Amino acid sequence: MKQSHFYNSRLAKVPWLIRRFGLRQMLLVPIRRLLAARIIKGLPKVAFSFDGERLFYFYHRYNLTWINERAVEVPIAMKYVRAVDEGQVLEIGNVLSHYYPVRHTILDKYEAGPGITNCDIVDFTPERSFGLIISISTFEHIGFDDDAPTSSGSKIAAAVRHVRGLLSPGGKAVLTVPIGYNPELDEMLRASRLETSRELYLVRTGRREWISASKETALQCRFNRPLPYANAIAIVEFEQIH
C-alpha cells in the first residue's frame, strides 16, 4: 500500500525542496522544464571515464539530468544492469523506469506505479534472491528524509545488511550516493563503517564534467556548492553476506 509522505504531495514537497536545494534552484526548475527539449538538443554527446570504461553523459528532461548527478548515475547504473540477466535485478528506489523500459523488480517506499512494490527496504522479504541490487541516490534519504525511530546512520547500516542478505551467491549490490547530502552517511564512508567490497568516486569539475577522484578528495566536496546538486558521488559495491 502506498504510504503517505511529503514525497507524494506537491504542496508539502515544496518547502522540503527549498530546504534541501535552495530557493534559487527551485525557482529555476519550471524554466528548465520549459526549455528542456531545446537545451538537450543543443548539448554535445560527450563521454566520461568510469572504472576503465567510457560512458556517455545522460541527458533527459525528467529530473533535469543535464544539471545534476543523474547525468552520470544513470549510465553507471545501466552499465551494471546490462551485464546481468535483468530478471535477476532488484532496483531500490524507482529511477531507471523513468528513462528506459525495464523488466526488473522495483522497490520504492513511497512512489506508486505499475510494477512498483511499496515497502521499506528493511521490511522487504521476497521469496527469492537477486544477482544484482542497484540503487540510485536513494540510501542517503534513509532515516534522513523519512521517519525513523533511530538515527539515519543506524537505519542505513540495517538497510545495507538487509540488502546483502537478499543477494544470490556471487551477487552484488551497487549504490550511488551524493556526497554532502547526508552527514551521517558521509561519516560512515569516511570511517569505512559500511563494510563495502569496493568504492569508486567521481567529482564534478564543471556543469557537465565529472572525473574520477580519491575518497579523500570526494568527501571534501559540498552538496549544492559551488554547482547545483551533488558535486561528488560515491559508487559503492557490496557482496553477499556469507
Side-chain angles (χ1 to χ4, degrees):
M1 178 181 293
K2 178 180 175 180
Q3 299 187 44
S4 177
H5 192 271
F6 62 77
Y7 288 155
N8 302 323
S9 168
R10 289 186 178 182
L11 184 61
K13 198 173 183 179
V14 169
W16 171 76
L17 289 170
I18 293 174
R19 186 168 63 253
R20 290 285 187 246
F21 304 107
L23 179 60
R24 181 175 182 273
Q25 291 305 319
M26 291 306 98
L27 292 176
L28 287 172
V29 166
I31 299 172
R32 285 167 171 157
R33 285 178 177 166
L34 183 66
L35 299 176
R38 183 177 300 177
I39 292 172
I40 293 171
K41 186 177 180 179
L43 294 176
K45 188 174 183 179
V46 180
F48 65 99
S49 178
F50 173 74
D51 197 21
E53 292 189 33
R54 290 177 72 250
L55 303 176
F56 287 99
Y57 290 103
F58 181 77
Y59 305 135
H60 197 283
R61 64 185 304 158
Y62 180 80
N63 208 15
L64 310 177
T65 70
W66 71 89
I67 60 166
N68 60 47
E69 58 272 24
R70 286 287 194 274
V72 289
E73 288 179 311
V74 171
I76 288 171
M78 290 304 296
K79 170 186 179 296
Y80 286 96
V81 170
R82 287 170 176 154
V84 299
D85 177 354
E86 194 174 358
Q88 292 295 313
V89 177
L90 167 66
E91 182 181 6
I92 303 172
N94 182 39
V95 175
L96 294 177
S97 71
H98 291 291
Y99 307 115
Y100 298 98
V102 301
R103 295 182 292 106
H104 58 245
T105 302
I106 302 172
L107 178 73
D108 195 296
K109 187 174 181 179
Y110 299 109
E111 185 177 339
I116 301 174
T117 298
N118 293 130
C119 181
D120 192 304
I121 179 57
V122 297
D123 299 322
F124 184 54
T125 54
E127 296 181 353
R128 51 167 295 196
S129 57
F130 300 91
L132 173 67
I133 298 177
I134 194 90
S135 184
I136 302 171
S137 280
T138 296
F139 270 63
E140 71 275 10
H141 298 294
I142 294 177
F144 191 66
D145 290 318
D146 64 352
D147 299 324
T150 60
S151 68
S152 176
S154 296
K155 188 169 182 184
I156 288 171
V160 167
R161 286 194 299 271
H162 191 71
V163 164
R164 293 177 67 192
L166 298 176
L167 290 170
S168 304
K172 179 187 297 183
V174 183
L175 320 178
T176 72
V177 294
I179 300 300
Y181 184 88
N182 183 332
E184 287 191 58
L185 180 52
D186 287 353
E187 184 54 35
M188 294 174 80
L189 287 168
R190 183 174 288 107
S192 299
R193 293 206 306 267
L194 285 175
E195 299 182 3
T196 60
S197 57
R198 193 166 72 134
E199 299 177 8
L200 299 166
Y201 292 85
L202 295 179
V203 298
R204 199 173 178 187
T205 57
R207 287 196 173 273
R208 283 172 289 279
E209 296 175 1
W210 293 77
I211 62 171
S212 298
S214 66
K215 173 192 282 193
E216 292 71 25
T217 297
L219 287 172
Q220 291 175 3
C221 294
R222 299 176 62 190
F223 189 84
N224 225 25
R225 296 288 187 280
L227 296 166
Y229 305 100
N231 283 258
I233 63 169
I235 303 94
V236 298
E237 297 181 359
F238 301 89
E239 297 176 348
Q240 180 202 33
I241 295 177
H242 299 292

